[in-house]
Amino acid sequence: APGFVVRAIRAMGEAGVHPGLQSSIGPRSGPALALRVDPLSPIELEAAFSMRASQRYWIGGRVEREDFGLEAGAAWQRDAQVAFYGIGPDTPDRQTLYRRDRVELGLSSWRRAAPLMLEGEITYEDNLVGAPVWASGQLSTPEEFAADELFGLDGRLRYVRLGIGAGLDFTRRVGFQDRGVRLFARGTRFEGVDGTDSFHRLSFQAHGLAPLNRRQLLALHARTDLTREDSGRIPFYHLSALGGEATAIGYPDTRFTDRDMISLTAEWRYEIWRDIHNTTRLESFVYFGEGAVGPRIGEIDSEDWHASYGFGFRAAQRDGLLGLLYLGFSAEGLQFGVGGEWTP
């Protein structure tokens, strides 16, 4: 018979209370305890608190179908210890930390009619930067940089964020592997409110997933973010960034920032274990990547590129990735990372 803990978790789930653990809820947050409450579904309440004092709270409604999704809600998020090193491709390895609080009120939707994918959003965001939380003895960005050096360091900045994205998905699922090509493009306009300067960002991604056999796969990923001011300046925390799990595992999140970013990565994945029921497997992977930032893509020189190497493990089921663990290497040292979300 199930024990007390199992019975308690089942009872909580039946009552619409779902505890969980997330590997991250924002830049440099660390693992976080999470709680989702949905006894009046589709109305939901979500809360998360991380080991570095980052917090996230959301309330709203969410409807998801196989080919359509709609979400509306209000959120408050605190990124307690965001790292900043400077702007440009050759900034020194000198980390400062800042806190970013933001309020968001938004509506987003997505639609899929294979192979076409469409998504859009309209969101109001209110941003405020301050001293980091629980970071005594570490350099503070507001103390190390003057307000006239970094736009967005002093005062609140408010935007209406309008985004639209479109993609083509030519992948298919075979066993534990996605095979094929995905292409995605997104444009986001940040319309300044109360005199705040406006800007926009264009993002492009391409994924190539080539099986070598049923146990091995080569995964290629290219990404570029282009940020342009319409009038005035761009907040330093909204610049394009290189580093972390998505773009360069050998560097921490936001290690390099500038208006434009480009990242090219490749992974060789190899199955090392599969359960007897053929429902879950463990993969190892070897990683190589190159990336760069600059004021313009055309101004990036050969010495601006930064290489990342690494290896790790991925746990996957037939319907997708469960989590991953990796070690990343670069000219600046070693990075350890864990990704995924777990609920009982």
Side-chain angles (χ1 to χ4, degrees), residues 168-215:
L168 293 172
D169 188 349
F170 297 106
T171 63
R172 60 192 180 95
R173 190 78 173 176
V174 178
F176 292 92
Q177 296 177 335
D178 285 330
R179 303 177 176 184
V181 176
R182 296 191 197 102
L183 304 172
F184 192 78
R186 180 180 176 86
T188 307
R189 177 170 176 82
F190 293 78
E191 184 68 30
V193 178
D194 295 334
T196 302
D197 299 334
S198 300
F199 66 98
H200 65 274
R201 175 180 295 125
L202 299 175
S203 299
F204 304 92
Q205 295 191 56
H207 297 257
L209 302 163
L212 305 179
N213 54 46
R214 64 189 294 268
R215 298 180 62 186

Side-chain angles (χ1 to χ4, degrees), residues 172-178 182 209 269 278-283 314-324 339-342:
R172 60 192 180 95
R173 190 78 173 176
V174 178
F176 292 92
Q177 296 177 335
D178 285 330
R182 296 191 197 102
L209 302 163
R269 301 173 183 170
N278 202 32
T279 59
T280 305
R281 81 171 183 178
L282 183 65
E283 303 171 330
R314 295 162 40 94
Q317 291 184 326
R318 289 186 174 274
D319 57 352
L321 182 67
L322 289 175
L324 74 159
E341 181 175 337
W342 300 274

Side-chain angles (χ1 to χ4, degrees), residues 216 261 290 313:
Q216 300 181 66
M261 184 278 296
E290 289 269 0
F313 302 93

Side-chain angles (χ1 to χ4, degrees), residues 221-234:
H221 181 214
R223 172 176 171 176
T224 185
D225 296 329
L226 313 175
T227 312
R228 298 287 184 268
E229 64 270 25
D230 298 332
S231 60
R233 296 171 290 174
I234 302 169

